[in-house]
Amino acid sequence: DKMPPPRGGELAAPTPALTIQQVIESHHRAVYRYAFRLTGAVADAEDLTQQTFLIAQRKLDQIRDPAKADRWLFAVVRSCFLKNRRRRRPTAAANLDMNMEDVAVEPPGDEAVDREMLDRALDELPDQYRLIVVMFYFEEFSYKQIAQELGVPIGTVMSRLARAKQRLRQQLAAHGSTPK
């Protein structure tokens, strides 16, 4: 009736299941920063972040490799962002079964270019350009990966990124800050 214990290498021990608490604690800051880059607004980024973790809570079993959870979460953020943009209405935020105050969140901020100017310039980009800039520079996706994720030809990705960079340079130059 009882199966014998596995011998050397026959069966790998199952990886322990992730909890939503672990996912939120490990990835909240990165997800929020990504959402902020896409939306350009704190309230929208907070809503998008919460929406992402609600989906993660329902579909936690889809994260097969905990080391790649951030990629999966970024894909959820992107998908929610695009769906919300198509609707052009605010998305209601719901509460998770945990206190989000327990998760440390710092407002977005880096070095290089004046952060506020860059955020404003990104926010002024059309969605199709902003999304590609964020995927390329902040998620470090290749042209091919972006094309696959968005379902567009690689040439479209390259031309949109070139146009977006040109617009960003113009906007930053107009505000007295130039990217390095």
Side-chain angles (χ1 to χ4, degrees):
D1 289 320
K2 238 179 164 184
M3 290 188 66
R7 288 188 300 233
E10 283 183 19
L11 292 174
T15 54
L18 282 176
T19 66
I20 190 63
Q21 179 78 29
Q22 291 169 319
V23 171
I24 292 171
E25 287 174 358
S26 299
H27 302 288
H28 186 272
R29 183 173 182 199
V31 167
Y32 173 78
R33 289 173 62 98
Y34 185 53
F36 184 83
R37 293 260 182 246
L38 290 175
T39 63
V42 171
D44 292 342
E46 289 170 351
D47 288 348
L48 192 53
T49 299
Q50 191 167 35
Q51 189 178 3
T52 298
F53 286 118
L54 286 169
I55 290 169
Q57 185 176 29
R58 287 194 313 266
K59 299 182 178 188
L60 203 55
D61 61 319
Q62 289 184 7
I63 301 175
R64 302 203 194 310
D65 182 356
K68 296 181 181 174
D70 58 342
R71 293 290 181 197
W72 184 85
L73 289 165
F74 289 158
V76 172
V77 172
R78 231 182 356 268
S79 176
C80 291
F81 172 75
L82 291 171
K83 285 177 188 170
N84 292 344
R85 289 298 180 193
R86 280 186 216 117
R87 279 192 224 122
R88 291 286 182 200
R89 348 171 232 197
T91 307
N95 292 322
L96 288 173
D97 292 336
M98 65 177 295
N99 185 356
M100 294 303 289
E101 301 297 318
D102 295 338
V103 181
V105 178
E106 293 179 27
D110 283 353
E111 306 79 40
V113 176
D114 180 332
R115 208 78 227 135
E116 199 172 305
M117 281 190 208
L118 180 58
D119 289 340
R120 262 187 274 139
L122 276 170
D123 193 38
E124 291 172 16
L125 286 177
D127 294 341
Q128 64 185 2
Y129 295 150
R130 183 177 338 128
L131 181 59
I132 288 176
V133 166
V134 170
M135 289 176 76
F136 186 78
Y137 288 105
F138 299 101
E139 277 192 82
E140 299 178 356
F141 273 38
S142 68
Y143 294 136
K144 183 178 179 183
Q145 290 170 317
I146 295 170
Q148 289 171 340
E149 288 285 325
L150 299 181
V152 298
I154 197 166
T156 301
V157 171
M158 294 168 74
S159 65
R160 285 182 184 172
L161 185 59
R163 287 187 195 116
K165 289 182 348 186
Q166 181 181 13
R167 284 187 181 193
L168 282 172
R169 277 189 212 101
Q170 291 170 344
Q171 290 169 345
L172 290 171
H175 295 294
S177 176
T178 54
K180 295 181 179 180

